[in-house]
Amino acid sequence: MGLFDEALKVLADAVDRSVIVAGPEGKVLQANRRARTLLSWEQPDALVTRSLETIPFALSTRSRLQRDPGPWEEETTIEARGRLIPVLVAKRPIAVRGRRAGSLVLITDLRDVTTAIAERDRARRNDLAKTRSLHMVAHDMSGAVTIIKGYVALVQEGSLGIDELERYVPVLADQLQHMERLLNALLDTARLEEGGLELRLEPLDLADFVEDLVRKMRAPETGHQLMVRREAAGLPILADPIRLDSIVRNVLSNAIKYSPEGTVVTCTLRLDDGATLEVADEGGGIAGDDQSLLFTRFGRVGELATNPPGVGLGLFLSRELARLHGGDLTVTSEVGKGSRFTLRMPLRDGGAR
Amino acid sequence: MARVLLVEDDIHLRLVTRLVLEQGGHVVDESPDALQALRHLRHERPIKTEVIVADMRMPEMNGLEFVAELRTHDRLSPIPVILLTGDVDARDNAPPEVSVVIKPFEPSQLLEQIIQLTAATDTN
């Protein structure tokens, strides 16, 4: 047998449907691996005695296979290992030098197709969510870029002197840092998906860490009051400071973003099963159905999804990061009563000071 | 030269956009959200605002809702509106008479847009 014939056999075994080649009288000459499995023709010499009419299709299909040279295809059933399987059968005539030489019968297991369609739909939904989330990241970035661009343009056209620009350098630095955080969130999300996220653990104290961060975050323009309540003297943990910063910052800015200006956001630090940070806001709260959406990769809740800007990645990433540390991030909330996010991290050396 | 009402919730964006507008020779009033902007406009008698520049995405009332609200007031509906947005597809969602400027924008883009809009209302 030539190379081409061998190649065809390899190809026939590689396709995801059953392929049968029959002679002019309907005698089976070749069947690919999938066909042999489907029809239990595993013995090497099994083919010799077979003909198309012995394939256990529904009766009408059997007779059509015999009399109708094709091309045609139809949905039918086949009996395999005692079960009726929905299949799509196609028959194609094969001519050699203009004369009918036989036929090709293709059988597609429709159960595979259903799974494939469900899989494709799921992938498509995930793609859509990803696109939406990319839009949100792009939106967040566009604000920062506009600000930086604006100042640069003002300097370029000479309407803002370099000495005057100095006044705005902290703003520019803030915007760049904001963009850097967005970029890191995107990168971490991608790394999570690929399983390549590595933590750089350091001994630190959750209570001190949160207090420090809250001091840095007090944003006068929102008018929110950030309160820290320490119910434990120290909460020693092992954590990656950059990721911990991202988790706590996310939960805090989330609380600020979704609660009215001038209200109080309370951070309580306590020792229970582990080192615990509880962030409680006086916002509108989140309905039970929506709570489960909060932590999906690209989920944001209800009409909020169209209003305040923000990246859907935030809470998903925060929870995943917390879990990588051996901890967790959870929420309890009631509509009209605000939300309470709880970050629980394992204590270092299993003990507290 | 026009009197511009700038509606933007982000304090930094508001500041730099204001600087850009002022460098373009415009007089700027500002509002941190759409509700305050509406209050400002309702009390302005006669109307001095010639152009409104508003962010698309704002809490409470977004840019599109703000425009829809303006359209319900006879006095306010003729004021031309420019919406600022980071969403490239936003142009499709905005009513045709509203100008959309995509962020990040060149300051000159915004200024040109204002000149166009004020020129159009001057000739009417």
Side-chain angles (χ1 to χ4, degrees):
Chain A
M1 213 179 262
L3 172 65
F4 189 67
D5 294 315
E6 280 304 320
L8 276 185
K9 271 172 97 176
V10 173
L11 179 66
D13 279 345
V15 297
D16 59 357
R17 62 183 76 182
S18 303
V19 181
I20 297 165
V21 182
E25 312 304 326
K27 188 170 176 306
V28 173
L29 302 175
Q30 291 286 346
N32 71 347
R33 184 173 299 145
R34 201 157 168 120
R36 294 196 302 270
T37 311
L38 177 73
L39 302 165
S40 307
W41 290 349
E42 273 99 357
Q43 300 304 319
D45 56 349
L47 297 187
V48 182
T49 54
R50 303 284 171 181
S51 67
L52 288 181
E53 63 204 272
T54 64
I55 301 177
F57 287 117
L59 271 180
S60 61
T61 309
R62 271 204 234 186
S63 72
R64 190 174 183 188
L65 264 179
Q66 243 181 333
R67 62 181 161 75
D68 189 344
W72 53 264
E73 61 180 50
E74 67 177 37
E75 277 186 36
T76 181
T77 54
I78 190 170
E79 198 191 318
R81 295 170 207 280
R83 293 175 59 189
L84 274 188
I85 299 170
V87 289
L88 181 73
V89 183
K91 186 175 175 189
R92 303 266 179 275
I94 299 174
V96 176
R97 282 185 284 278
R99 294 173 60 184
R100 225 168 75 198
S103 60
L104 191 66
V105 176
L106 303 170
I107 308 168
T108 311
D109 188 332
L110 289 177
R111 294 171 310 175
D112 295 346
V113 176
T114 321
T115 326
I117 289 174
E119 179 61 28
R120 200 190 57 205
D121 284 352
R122 204 187 55 76
R124 199 173 282 164
R125 270 199 306 279
N126 197 33
D127 269 0
L128 273 177
K130 248 185 205 171
T131 309
R132 234 184 1 253
S133 145
L134 283 178
H135 269 290
M136 284 195 270
V137 176
H139 179 273
D140 269 16
M141 287 235 183
S142 72
V145 176
T146 305
I147 291 167
I148 297 166
K149 229 174 158 159
Y151 285 111
V152 171
L154 288 169
V155 172
Q156 275 174 335
E157 60 192 39
S159 34
L160 192 69
I162 290 289
D163 47 326
E164 290 171 282
L165 178 67
E166 213 177 315
R167 196 146 54 98
Y168 300 107
V169 166
V171 176
L172 298 180
D174 265 5
Q175 296 303 321
L176 284 171
Q177 204 174 39
H178 177 62
M179 285 171 64
E180 196 180 349
R181 270 190 220 110
L182 284 171
L183 196 60
N184 285 337
L186 274 180
L187 283 175
D188 270 359
T189 310
R191 285 186 193 121
L192 271 178
E193 214 157 292
E194 295 162 355
L197 202 154
E198 273 174 39
L199 298 176
R200 296 176 175 216
L201 297 178
E202 286 175 22
L204 44 86
D205 188 287
L206 181 65
D208 294 346
F209 192 91
V210 169
E211 243 182 350
D212 257 13
L213 187 61
V214 166
R215 206 170 297 131
K216 281 189 245 163
M217 277 189 69
R218 277 180 219 245
E221 71 244 38
T222 68
H224 282 89
Q225 270 190 70
L226 294 182
M227 306 247 294
V228 178
R229 270 197 353 227
R230 286 181 77 137
E231 293 180 0
L235 296 172
I237 57 171
L238 267 183
D240 180 330
I242 296 176
R243 270 62 186 240
L244 185 61
D245 181 280
S246 151
I247 298 170
V248 178
R249 196 181 283 273
N250 245 316
V251 174
L252 282 174
S253 41
N254 200 67
I256 290 171
K257 200 178 292 172
Y258 296 120
S259 60
E261 294 197 359
T263 55
V264 182
V265 174
T266 313
C267 306
T268 308
L269 290 147
R270 82 162 71 92
L271 185 71
D272 42 33
D273 289 346
T276 300
L277 163 67
E278 205 177 78
V279 176
D281 65 45
E282 297 175 349
I286 305 152
D289 289 351
D290 286 340
Q291 287 178 25
S292 57
L293 268 180
L294 273 180
F295 294 102
T296 59
R297 187 166 335 186
F298 306 110
R300 295 176 77 217
V301 171
E303 60 172 316
L304 294 180
T306 53
N307 266 326
V311 183
L313 295 174
L315 287 173
F316 164 78
L317 186 60
S318 299
R319 169 178 275 183
E320 292 302 310
L321 289 176
R323 287 180 178 173
L324 269 184
H325 281 89
D328 205 357
L329 178 65
T330 52
V331 63
T332 54
S333 182
E334 213 176 301
V335 174
K337 288 189 179 170
S339 308
R340 186 180 301 257
F341 284 86
T342 307
L343 170 69
R344 192 163 285 130
M345 299 281 278
L347 283 169
R348 185 168 80 230
D349 300 327
R353 276 178 281 161
Chain B
M1 227 155 294
R3 193 173 186 109
V4 181
L5 174 61
L6 172 63
V7 194
E8 167 64 72
D9 59 317
D10 183 296
I11 185 168
H12 300 303
L13 266 174
R14 201 161 67 226
L15 185 62
V16 72
T17 312
R18 179 188 193 118
L19 282 176
V20 166
L21 291 170
E22 285 176 348
Q23 293 306 327
H26 304 294
V27 179
V28 182
D29 297 311
E30 57 179 57
S31 238
D33 62 63
L35 293 175
Q36 287 189 46
L38 282 170
R39 220 169 295 140
H40 170 93
L41 288 165
R42 280 199 205 104
H43 288 115
E44 209 179 43
R45 279 170 200 275
I47 293 283
K48 284 180 276 172
T49 301
E50 291 163 272
V51 181
I52 297 171
V53 175
D55 192 13
M56 181 79 91
R57 216 188 276 214
M58 293 184 289
E60 319 263 340
M61 183 185 274
N62 68 30
L64 290 175
E65 292 160 346
F66 175 53
V67 170
E69 183 62 32
L70 287 175
R71 296 295 176 253
T72 63
H73 297 78
D74 289 345
R75 286 172 59 243
L76 308 182
S77 66
I79 308 175
V81 180
I82 299 173
L83 288 177
L84 305 177
T85 175
D87 180 2
V88 195
D89 300 330
R91 217 167 253 143
D92 307 336
N93 307 326
E97 75 277 11
V98 169
S99 308
V100 174
V101 171
I102 309 283
K103 290 188 281 193
F105 53 83
E106 299 293 338
S108 57
Q109 260 175 287
L110 178 61
L111 295 175
E112 269 160 35
Q113 196 67 242
I114 290 180
I115 290 169
Q116 266 182 33
L117 288 173
T118 48
T121 43
D122 284 351
T123 50
N124 282 346

